[in-house]
Amino acid sequence: MRKNRAKIAIAITTMAIVLTATSCLKMGNLLNFKLGMQTKSFDVTIPVTSDTGMMFVGPVAAIYNVDSFIRASTAGQLGAANIQSVKLSSVVLTINNANAVNNFQNFEFVDLSFLSNTNGTPYTMSIANNPDSYASTLSLPVDTTVEMSSYLGNQFTYKVHGRLRRATTQELDCTVNVTFSLTVKG
């Protein structure tokens, strides 16, 4: 009788250990985060331009530690190796010293391209028919369905380019913010 009780106790203990280990593994696989990540915003100066031709600014390099961002956002549970998906969320340009004569209304079209240390092919977002109305902020249309994980490195290089419809009379101090949506899973 004692041998049977001992065998039953060992069997129950073994099952409890197996179930606990299996549950822990399943819980680890359930870690799933959607994170909004803004790479380091950067400033560019758009020079005074007297003609209405093409205008180029850059390249501007920005360093951003994606792994540290993910670790900080997931209490150290996950890192860059756990990235499942990367999508572009927004690209916003802001002229910090805009006025009635010098703002995004001066631009017929604007585009921004970037590449990274992991993907050297420029990815470009454009606004082709920028409205002829005052604006100090410009949101470029982005395709939020394109998988961008190949661009996720730790150094990003940006270029701004456009065509003026009217000349500018002062340097324009512009801040650029690029935001990504990351899905990380453990």
Side-chain angles (χ1 to χ4, degrees):
M1 185 75 133
R2 281 189 170 215
K3 283 185 178 182
N4 285 341
R5 283 188 184 171
K7 286 180 182 179
I8 291 172
I10 290 172
I12 290 173
T13 302
T14 303
M15 282 180 39
I17 290 171
V18 169
L19 289 174
T20 301
T22 303
S23 294
C24 288
L25 288 173
K26 286 181 183 176
M27 289 299 288
N29 289 333
L30 292 178
L31 290 177
N32 191 3
F33 295 88
K34 292 218 180 266
L35 307 173
M37 180 187 82
Q38 178 180 315
T39 58
K40 183 178 178 183
S41 62
F42 62 95
D43 295 319
V44 296
T45 300
I46 301 170
V48 173
T49 308
S50 58
D51 64 25
T52 56
M54 298 300 286
M55 177 272 318
F56 299 91
V57 179
V60 175
I63 295 173
Y64 190 81
N65 191 325
V66 175
D67 188 65
S68 291
F69 164 76
I70 293 170
R71 290 191 185 287
S73 300
T74 63
Q77 297 298 308
L78 303 173
N82 300 98
I83 294 172
Q84 298 294 306
S85 177
V86 178
K87 308 288 175 141
L88 193 57
S89 297
S90 68
V91 175
V92 178
L93 292 81
T94 303
I95 297 176
N96 301 309
N97 60 338
N99 59 44
V101 177
N102 296 284
N103 60 73
F104 282 118
Q105 182 177 13
N106 295 60
F107 293 85
E108 184 178 317
F109 84 83
V110 176
D111 67 29
L112 179 130
S113 62
F114 72 90
L115 51 90
S116 72
N117 61 311
T118 59
N119 190 333
T121 302
Y123 185 83
T124 303
M125 292 96 7
S126 301
I127 185 163
N129 296 309
N130 187 40
D132 190 4
S133 59
Y134 175 87
S136 62
T137 300
L138 189 62
S139 294
L140 298 180
V142 298
D143 184 345
T144 58
T145 64
V146 174
E147 182 56 45
M148 304 294 293
S149 57
S150 69
Y151 284 93
L152 213 54
N154 57 18
Q155 183 171 348
F156 301 87
T157 303
Y158 301 92
K159 290 182 185 179
V160 179
H161 148 246
R163 180 184 306 274
L164 292 169
R165 69 167 52 97
R166 278 184 286 289
T168 58
T169 60
Q170 71 181 35
E171 287 185 342
L172 303 176
D173 300 323
C174 185
T175 300
V176 180
N177 292 301
V178 179
T179 306
F180 295 91
S181 174
L182 276 64
T183 301
V184 292
K185 188 173 181 180

